[in-house]
Amino acid sequence: LWGNRVCDEGARVLGAALEGNFSLQFLGLGRNLVTHVGCECLCKPFGVAVIWEKAEAEPLVKSLKEQAKEKEKADKKKGGAAAPKRDASGRERYAPEPFVRTCEEFKTQDTNQSYWLYTKNLTLKTLVLEHNPIA
């Protein structure tokens, strides 16, 4: 998307689309109109979020456990992992690494307060934003 006049609104839409994409490894947005606002929208779906409130973390942990159980049932139905797909030349095709979101509880050392680390999409390796008006 190099040099396509992508603005903050476009970056917001891209960020929303990246919430469920676990295979994109490179995104080139150089020479566009993305500012710090658009950059924040692009980065929101990635990385690790800290959750300090138990009321916010509990439903998330419960949902993730249910998803893991459903995935495990689906894998058992399939009979284990499938053989890797191959192209017409017999080469193994690219398959993204399976991604599972996690939400783990930790405690601060000094106050022993609980907090949760919520890992999100970690597959994007490179985001290029050069020549944009980011302040």
Side-chain angles (χ1 to χ4, degrees):
L1 298 174
W2 187 272
N4 279 295
R5 295 182 163 215
V6 176
C7 62
D8 290 337
E9 180 62 18
R12 184 190 63 75
V13 172
L14 277 170
L18 292 172
E19 282 281 345
N21 183 307
F22 302 109
S23 61
L24 184 69
Q25 294 183 356
F26 177 87
L27 180 58
L29 288 171
R31 294 187 188 254
N32 282 292
L33 305 171
V34 179
T35 67
H36 66 284
V37 174
C39 185
E40 286 178 12
C41 293
L42 281 169
C43 293
K44 187 176 181 182
F46 300 104
V48 178
V50 178
I51 301 172
W52 290 99
E53 300 297 322
K54 185 175 185 175
E56 186 180 348
E58 281 183 336
L60 186 58
V61 170
K62 183 179 177 182
S63 171
L64 291 172
K65 284 182 181 178
E66 288 173 4
Q67 289 174 8
K69 285 180 184 177
E70 288 175 15
K71 185 178 181 329
E72 192 175 300
K73 284 181 186 178
D75 287 346
K76 282 184 181 180
K77 272 188 175 179
K78 289 181 183 178
K85 294 182 180 180
R86 303 207 175 265
D87 65 9
S89 302
R91 294 178 297 210
E92 195 173 302
R93 294 178 68 187
Y94 169 77
E97 298 174 23
F99 178 76
V100 179
R101 294 176 188 226
T102 61
C103 189
E104 298 179 57
E105 184 177 2
F106 295 93
K107 293 190 181 284
T108 58
Q109 290 182 352
D110 53 345
T111 62
N112 207 29
Q113 180 184 2
S114 291
Y115 66 96
W116 291 259
L117 290 181
Y118 176 47
T119 58
K120 299 186 266 184
N121 189 345
L122 300 173
T123 57
L124 185 71
K125 307 286 188 244
T126 307
L127 175 62
V128 179
L129 288 168
E130 63 182 314
H131 303 291
N132 277 286
I134 298 173

